[in-house]
Amino acid sequence: MTTTASVKDVTEKALAGERITYDEGVLLLKEAPTLELGNLAQEIRYRHNPKPIVTFVIDTNLNYTNVCDAYCTFCAFYRTEKDEDAYTHSVEEMMEMVGNAAARGVTTVLLQGGLNPKLPMEYYEDLVRETRKRYPQVLPHFYSAPEIQKMSQVAEIPVAEVLRRLKDAGQETLPGGGSEVLSDRVKRSLSRLWPKGRVDDWSEVHREAHRLGYRTTATMMYGHLERPEDVVEHFEHTRALQDEALADGNAGFTAFIPWSFKRGDTPLSKRVKEEAGPNPYLRMIAMARIYLDNVQHVQASWFSEGKKTGEVALNFGGDDFGGTLFDENVMQEAGFYNRTSTDEIQAIIRDAGFTPAQRTTKYEVLHVFE
């Protein structure tokens, strides 16, 4: 069988609604023409989301501390406790920031920080509890998997207990940050503290969150040390976790969200000489839509890849356009700055040929802008 025929066979299998395998995914990612991937992904997109609607959320991205003891090579955000510009905000300081966001119409606050060993479990609970109490219109989309693992380590309680306590405080969703690429081969290369941050660590947090009824997102940061095989392994881990959640009667992941590594002022930039461009991003969006047959939404991004690339990605299988991210700082620390408004997001979605709709963190549609 020729290579072209092999790609054709896998394409026909996916079009028939059959699940493709790891090897078939690697073949598509390596050899399928980009436009053919896009066409396949777009047809599959309409099976999951039949209406020509693209959603977005009004959100912000706040940080409570930049003190971190993980020392990830891809990060320019973290500081040590001894750095002059290190900070850890009090609960009251964070509530002022959340209040400012709420006044701008924000419905979701994505809150993340460094892995600060000095913060007790009660601090994290208070952030959730006070947000729900003072700003009930705002959903706290707080804490990535590495932060949950850090809480577990510092408080000396299981991950499941950390998640239960946060849920009791009012948390309902969890962001997918900290996955990078779900391949221990890649993670070992990215980490200065291996074996911290293994695939199993990220998976444990999301598995336990799903069991408790949380909705979470799955993410991927590519464009550094990964191979196509590692990318498809990431898809496979994500799909398997979602299979588990659905089998248990839980909804699991709301969406899959990929973005590319930004070199900027990061230690990893010495090993990665060139950033991934628009073509790899479009292939990632398309492959995610094709492979993740049990995840309803794939998020394209105006933020990390640029607004024109994000617009094109809406025709490569993406059905969501992310959020406004009014106060993003992590990628800004790496030298990447990009901003938008709700009006501009709507205009981009319309230019791509779709109808914009505002959603919640859980992908419930609030308003369709006909």
Side-chain angles (χ1 to χ4, degrees):
M1 185 180 293
T2 66
T3 299
T4 302
S6 297
V7 169
K8 182 174 181 290
D9 284 349
V10 178
T11 299
E12 290 177 351
K13 181 178 181 180
L15 285 173
E18 298 179 47
R19 172 169 283 190
I20 66 171
T21 66
Y22 168 85
D23 289 337
E24 291 167 341
V26 172
L27 176 65
L28 285 184
L29 186 57
K30 283 184 173 181
E31 300 186 19
T34 299
L35 289 179
E36 290 185 17
L37 270 184
N39 289 336
L40 174 59
Q42 197 66 352
E43 181 157 342
I44 293 172
R45 173 254 199 256
Y46 279 109
R47 295 179 187 173
H48 291 277
N49 305 282
K51 296 181 180 179
I53 287 175
V54 168
T55 51
F56 69 94
V57 65
I58 300 178
D59 67 351
T60 191
N61 192 349
L62 300 178
N63 308 106
Y64 57 90
T65 184
N66 63 353
V67 175
C68 187
D69 62 5
Y71 314 123
C72 297
T73 60
F74 53 82
C75 180
F77 173 75
Y78 78 85
R79 300 292 187 273
T80 69
E81 291 180 292
K82 297 180 181 180
D83 289 327
E84 290 185 2
D85 55 347
Y87 66 81
T88 299
H89 294 303
S90 68
V91 172
E92 284 303 314
E93 288 171 333
M94 290 308 306
M95 287 306 101
E96 183 177 353
M97 296 182 201
V98 174
N100 290 337
R104 288 186 285 173
V106 163
T107 62
T108 294
V109 171
L110 173 60
L111 181 67
Q112 297 181 163
L115 309 186
N116 189 332
K118 297 294 181 64
L119 291 175
M121 185 67 214
E122 291 76 16
Y123 173 84
Y124 302 100
E125 292 173 284
D126 287 345
L127 286 176
V128 175
R129 188 176 294 111
E130 290 302 311
T131 298
R132 298 313 300 258
K133 176 182 175 181
R134 302 187 197 189
Y135 309 104
Q137 72 274 37
V138 172
L139 191 71
H141 192 49
F142 292 2
Y143 314 132
S144 63
E147 291 164 273
I148 300 295
Q149 291 281 356
K150 191 66 174 181
M151 295 174 209
S152 171
Q153 174 193 342
V154 171
E156 298 182 336
I157 58 176
V159 162
E161 178 65 10
V162 170
L163 291 164
R164 186 195 63 76
R165 287 174 62 170
L166 292 174
K167 185 177 181 182
D168 288 345
Q171 190 162 342
E172 301 176 19
T173 66
L174 205 70
S179 62
E180 283 73 66
V181 172
L182 293 175
S183 158
D184 281 335
R185 186 198 72 81
V186 176
K187 286 183 169 294
R188 186 180 294 109
S189 299
L190 292 174
S191 174
R192 296 174 177 175
L193 298 175
W194 182 261
K196 286 187 177 181
R198 301 166 301 176
V199 170
D200 284 349
D201 296 325
W202 188 91
S203 299
E204 178 192 13
V205 171
H206 286 268
R207 179 179 293 111
E208 294 296 339
H210 294 165
R211 287 172 177 169
L212 287 169
Y214 281 78
R215 300 302 308 275
T216 78
T217 56
T219 64
M220 176 173 63
M221 183 191 71
Y222 67 93
H224 39 87
L225 305 178
E226 82 283 350
R227 306 170 304 193
E229 290 83 358
D230 301 311
V231 170
V232 180
E233 181 185 347
H234 184 110
F235 292 148
E236 182 63 28
H237 285 301
T238 304
R239 193 169 70 179
L241 273 173
Q242 185 72 337
D243 278 343
E244 288 183 40
L246 296 174
D248 290 339
N250 300 312
F253 295 119
T254 54
F256 182 81
I257 309 164
W259 64 83
S260 65
F261 166 65
K262 304 303 180 189
R263 295 177 66 249
D265 186 23
T266 66
L268 188 57
S269 65
K270 297 176 182 178
R271 301 170 65 188
V272 180
K273 300 303 182 183
E274 186 176 350
E275 293 180 0
N279 191 64
Y281 180 69
L282 297 176
R283 295 181 69 83
M284 290 298 173
I285 290 287
M287 278 300 305
R289 183 61 287 161
I290 295 163
Y291 205 92
L292 300 177
D293 54 17
N294 54 4
V295 177
Q296 185 174 359
H297 302 288
V298 172
Q299 184 183 118
S301 175
W302 62 269
F303 174 68
S304 60
E305 311 307 322
K307 294 164 186 173
K308 284 299 180 184
T309 301
E311 179 179 328
V312 175
L314 295 177
N315 284 286
F316 274 70
D319 67 283
D320 183 77
F321 211 46
T324 51
L325 289 174
F326 286 134
D327 302 284
E328 200 285 329
N329 293 310
V330 174
M331 292 182 73
Q332 187 172 328
E333 288 286 348
F336 183 82
Y337 184 86
N338 196 9
R339 291 292 183 269
T340 191
S341 66
T342 54
D343 288 343
E344 185 177 30
I345 285 179
Q346 290 181 49
I348 294 171
I349 292 171
R350 292 187 192 281
D351 286 346
F354 299 93
T355 300
Q358 184 184 344
R359 64 164 172 86
T360 68
T361 316
K362 296 180 179 180
Y363 284 74
E364 302 153 328
V365 172
L366 294 173
H367 180 74
V368 178
F369 298 91
E370 299 289 359

